[in-house]
Amino acid sequence: MKEMISVTEYAQMITEALPRGILLNTKDKKFNSMVIGWGGLGTVWGKPVFTVYVREHRYTKAQIDSTGEFTISVPLDKPIPLISKVCGTQSGRDVDKETEAHLTLEDAEKISVPGIKEYPLTLECKVLYSQKQELEKLPDDIRENMYPQDVDGTYPMANRDAHTAYIGEIVAAYIIK
């Protein structure tokens, strides 16, 4: 069961949860979930949106590029350590995160990417626009701190790849009961 919500009524909760780690979910051939701590909730082109940033070599990026859809899952309390560990340190290329993190998937209302019962506040998003970052345009301190060139981009904890920003229109918002 789902309780439909107004995103604006939960905006503060979502933005406060983000730096602690929320989930970006994708599904192409299989389901994948990744912990994110960067993102933005807002309005673009008169539409409610959530913007996510995904590094170049992430499995998640290939899935978003293929489907143009994602869900955001936000815990109503604090993050669950097992979910944070599995979804924050392992690649969906190599691991079935649904099984390893003990996730309970809930079918979406308007897109093909499910939500997660354990992180029940769910935003269903369809990509409106994407843009790869140009690292040379970032301020020096951000580029040096967030994009040092010391870890290969294919490694799950890589830090040197640029991000692609995906602006996703929020087409449904609810709490999974």
Side-chain angles (χ1 to χ4, degrees):
M1 185 172 105
K2 298 177 184 117
E3 173 190 339
M4 303 309 281
I5 62 168
S6 165
V7 175
T8 56
E9 291 178 19
Y10 287 85
Q12 182 172 347
M13 175 189 275
I14 294 166
T15 56
E16 287 176 358
L18 185 59
R20 292 191 303 268
I22 64 175
L23 297 176
L24 164 59
N25 311 304
T26 57
K27 183 180 178 193
D28 189 7
K29 292 176 180 57
K30 72 175 186 173
F31 174 82
N32 186 55
S33 187
M34 150 179 157
V35 174
I36 60 170
W38 299 358
L41 181 65
T43 303
V44 177
W45 304 299
K47 298 176 182 286
V49 298
F50 197 93
T51 303
V52 295
Y53 300 86
V54 183
R55 289 193 193 264
E56 191 66 26
H57 289 94
R58 295 291 190 258
Y59 182 66
T60 299
K61 182 181 185 315
Q63 290 198 309
I64 293 175
D65 288 344
S66 175
T67 66
E69 300 178 336
F70 61 89
T71 56
I72 296 295
S73 295
V74 181
L76 295 180
D77 195 16
K78 58 186 176 185
I80 298 169
L82 177 64
I83 293 173
S84 295
K85 180 181 179 192
V86 171
C87 298
T89 64
Q90 298 185 40
S91 173
R93 283 185 191 96
D94 308 319
V95 172
D96 177 343
K97 292 185 183 181
E98 179 183 357
T99 301
E100 294 294 319
H102 304 288
L103 302 176
T104 308
L105 303 186
E106 180 78 22
D107 287 341
E109 293 294 307
K110 297 187 177 182
I111 65 173
S112 63
V113 182
I116 297 172
K117 189 171 186 177
E118 291 77 12
Y119 282 34
L121 196 159
T122 306
L123 308 177
E124 295 183 14
C125 301
K126 289 187 178 184
V127 175
L128 295 172
Y129 181 76
S130 65
Q131 176 69 51
K132 184 177 176 182
Q133 291 175 322
E134 298 176 50
L135 295 181
E136 64 277 1
K137 292 187 176 181
L138 292 172
D140 290 343
D141 64 321
I142 292 174
R143 189 174 56 254
E144 290 167 10
N145 288 326
M146 299 296 173
Y147 301 94
Q149 299 295 299
D150 62 346
V151 179
D152 183 340
T154 59
Y155 179 67
M157 301 305 293
N159 59 14
R160 73 181 187 186
D161 289 348
H163 286 84
T164 295
Y166 294 92
I167 299 173
E169 178 182 5
I170 300 168
V171 296
Y174 47 85
I175 295 176
I176 301 168
K177 299 288 185 172

